[in-house]
Amino acid sequence: MDELLWIVGRFLLGGLYVAGGIKHFFIMNSVLEMMKARGVPYPKIVLVAGSIFQLVCGLLFILGISIPLAAAGLIVFTIAASVMLLNFWGLEPGPAREGLMNAFLTNIALVGGLLIAAANSP
């Protein structure tokens, strides 16, 4: 049962990143506009490289290949994306700030899950 839970957990957590990496290529223009508005330098290069990176790391994580390394890559990606795009601290209190803060905290929880997976990988 532990092995099944481990596989399902890796699939769910890694699958989130795989799906996100793929999705970025379908909504590239809107993500680029958001990145430009946030002042991200070279937004297209950052978006394409980041999307490929999260896709590859997510696949490695799902497949159980170098789980600690894949998790570390996803942790760096998640923190970088959160700081770049979810800067709730720059907004006035209100619904927009709350939404970004919740997304940021969700990403921090994902980092926690990745740390647990990396520490407990076979």
Side-chain angles (χ1 to χ4, degrees):
M1 185 65 158
D2 287 349
E3 183 66 24
L4 177 62
L5 293 174
W6 179 240
I7 291 168
V8 171
R10 282 196 340 254
F11 180 79
L12 293 173
L13 191 51
L16 176 75
Y17 288 95
V18 170
I22 292 169
K23 182 180 177 184
H24 288 158
F25 290 104
F26 289 97
I27 61 168
M28 187 170 282
N29 289 335
S30 61
V31 177
L32 281 173
E33 290 305 314
M34 181 176 61
M35 291 174 77
K36 288 176 188 173
R38 301 267 189 213
V40 176
Y42 308 105
K44 190 166 188 171
I45 293 169
V46 171
L47 177 58
V48 171
S51 297
I52 291 170
F53 184 79
Q54 83 175 102
L55 179 63
V56 169
C57 287
L59 283 172
L60 290 171
F61 191 84
I62 288 170
L63 297 172
I65 300 169
S66 298
I67 292 172
L69 188 59
L74 292 172
I75 288 167
V76 169
F77 171 84
T78 302
I79 292 171
S82 296
V83 170
M84 269 193 288
L85 303 175
L86 300 175
N87 58 340
F88 65 89
W89 51 87
L91 298 178
E92 295 294 320
R97 181 182 175 143
E98 286 295 317
L100 287 178
M101 185 172 11
N102 287 338
F104 187 90
L105 293 173
T106 298
N107 284 356
I108 296 304
L110 286 170
V111 167
L114 290 164
L115 287 169
I116 291 168
N120 292 293
S121 64

